[in-house]
Amino acid sequence: MSETSMLCELPVLEYDYKDLAPYMSEEQIRTHYGEHHQAQVNGANEILQKLGKARKEKTVDLDLPSTLKNLSFNIGGHLLHSLFWSNIAPEGKSSSKPDGKLAAVLTKEFGSVDRFKKEFTKAAISKEGPGWAALTFSRKTGRPSILQLEKHNTKICPMHSILLVADVFDHAYQIDYKNDRAKFIDAFFHLVNWGTVNKRLEKLIV
Amino acid sequence: MQIEQKNDSLSETSRAYELPKLGYDYKDLAPYMSEEQLRIHHEKHHQSYVTGSNGILQKLDKARKENAELDMRSTLKELSFNIGGHVLHSLFWGNLAPASKGSGKPTGTIAETISKEFGGFDRFKSEFTKTAATVEGSGWAALAYCKHTGRPLIMQIEKHNTNVYPKFPILMVLDVFEHAYYIDYKNDRAKFIEAFWNIINWNEVNKRFMAVTR
């Protein structure tokens, strides 16, 4: 909680830019991470600094609705991208399908892992415009849910824990797949780090 | 401990949402929130989100059992609205308490954290009030906590699911749907917000804060 940690920071990737090929090219990930994600970190920090300044100077004419909406977009984008980078990994680095507690929870909810993949894919592909497909988990019911997020901040259950996200903004796949989002989602499943997803779940139920 | 058992067993009974019991009687928040207002809000409005969430979960269960197609877009939108409504109302009841029981002002670690971020409680109160007052249509003012930066952040939620900071823990919420105050204050939202400051359960807010910063 030191002064220096009071701003958002771009997380360090656990792999090199080139490591996710052929499913995600070096150029695609470099642009996505270095420019798009960085822009959201900068955007969030600018707002945090603007708020800090207004409080210091006791400014009263802060436009809160637009400032907070903007903050939800940028800080939401930062958080979701951070989750995204750590729930993908070079193919072969992690188990190729869900295992452990995750496999049990998905099978219980969806009937099978295949049905889960089908629903998640459909949620990702049928999203109109930019957004995310997310697998969330409710501690109250012990059930996982798929959500289809609009942009970075809409159609979200507040406080719900997030286990897995797929970015379906154009910027996530345009370089590699042009407008073929379905092909990108197919590739995405080759990269999912099921070990991390399982760890996120275990943290919630243990 | 209870949560752990509940989730670990993943038993059938825990797979639906439930209306939480209030920690006080319907009449206990008067004169700031009347018995009639609170009863309808809890028994009717909140209950409808619980029923709505469970209805969608059952619809999903059925589709999966029968291997049927789903309209993911509208189903998931509805799900985020209803579950969001349930989660936020549950938080709301927990962060209210009879005026006689409250401290009026934050205490403990949350008081220091608010003071540090906002430069004083009064500034926080004025920003939170303004956030609640300026929600367009229906929504919430919320105090969230950013674990990455160690900052408390105000959030202005539209409906139950829009302009939300994903995954962020929420310390305190104020419902500014008309259904939250119409019986008591008609269209005078500002008066309702002013009343809210008398019935905040700061102990609970501090407890939530301690739980996420542990």
Side-chain angles (χ1 to χ4, degrees), chain B residues 56-163:
Chain B
I56 299 162
L57 291 177
Q58 281 159 4
K59 180 178 140 186
L60 290 171
D61 283 342
K62 190 163 174 277
R64 285 161 191 162
K65 219 167 166 180
E66 296 169 356
N67 206 18
E69 290 291 319
L70 281 165
D71 179 349
M72 295 300 275
R73 199 137 40 93
S74 73
T75 307
L76 299 181
K77 182 181 172 182
E78 238 187 291
L79 189 66
S80 73
F81 178 77
N82 281 284
I83 294 183
H86 171 55
V87 168
L88 290 167
H89 279 95
S90 302
L91 286 167
F92 187 48
W93 308 129
N95 65 226
L96 297 181
S100 58
K101 288 215 175 128
S103 51
K105 276 193 173 187
T107 49
T109 321
I110 187 63
E112 290 161 36
T113 305
I114 284 176
S115 205
K116 178 168 179 202
E117 175 68 16
F118 295 90
F121 174 70
D122 288 346
R123 173 83 195 191
F124 163 70
K125 188 176 170 182
S126 99
E127 284 192 23
F128 194 89
T129 296
K130 199 169 157 193
T131 301
T134 56
V135 171
E136 280 183 353
S138 308
W140 299 77
L143 179 65
Y145 182 72
C146 177
K147 290 194 201 179
H148 296 273
T149 60
R151 286 173 184 257
L153 297 174
I154 294 175
M155 172 158 71
Q156 186 180 58
I157 303 175
E158 249 175 64
K159 293 175 283 177
H160 304 309
N161 53 356
T162 295
N163 299 339

Side-chain angles (χ1 to χ4, degrees), chain A residues 1 3 5-8 48 51 54-55 58-65 68-69 71-72 75-76 79-80 83 101 105 108-110 115 118-119 122-123 126-128 137-143 145-148 152-162 204-206, chain B residues 3-4 6-8 10 12 14-17 57 60-61 63-64 67-73 76-77 79-80 83-84 86-88 90-91 113 116-118 123 127 130-131 134 145-146 148-151 153-157 160-170:
Chain A
M1 298 251 287
E3 284 304 322
S5 73
M6 303 278 289
L7 291 175
C8 300
L48 293 175
L51 287 169
R55 285 161 191 162
K58 305 202 180 333
T59 311
V60 288
D61 61 348
L62 198 57
D63 180 352
L64 279 171
L68 297 180
K69 187 177 172 185
L71 183 61
S72 75
I75 219 164
L79 184 125
L80 291 166
L83 287 169
K101 210 141 225 175
V105 163
K108 173 143 189 148
E109 177 69 19
F110 295 93
R115 170 86 194 191
K118 202 176 136 200
E119 285 192 23
K122 204 170 158 193
S126 67
K127 172 80 211 70
E128 279 181 346
F137 186 77
S138 163
R139 294 217 244 192
K140 284 194 181 147
T141 58
R143 296 175 75 138
S145 281
I146 294 172
L147 285 183
Q148 191 180 56
H152 305 308
N153 51 354
T154 293
K155 295 176 192 167
I156 297 183
C157 296
M159 288 246 292
H160 264 208
S161 307
I162 299 176
L204 299 170
I205 58 180
V206 169
Chain B
I3 289 171
E4 184 185 324
K6 222 176 173 178
N7 288 317
D8 232 2
L10 294 175
E12 286 304 323
S14 71
R15 292 175 63 79
Y17 288 98
L57 291 177
L60 290 171
D61 283 342
R64 285 161 191 162
N67 206 18
E69 290 291 319
L70 281 165
D71 179 349
M72 295 300 275
R73 199 137 40 93
L76 299 181
K77 182 181 172 182
L79 189 66
S80 73
I83 294 183
H86 171 55
V87 168
L88 290 167
S90 302
L91 286 167
T113 305
K116 178 168 179 202
E117 175 68 16
F118 295 90
R123 173 83 195 191
E127 284 192 23
K130 199 169 157 193
T131 301
T134 56
Y145 182 72
C146 177
H148 296 273
T149 60
R151 286 173 184 257
L153 297 174
I154 294 175
M155 172 158 71
Q156 186 180 58
I157 303 175
H160 304 309
N161 53 356
T162 295
N163 299 339
V164 169
Y165 312 155
K167 206 168 162 283
F168 277 51
I170 295 176

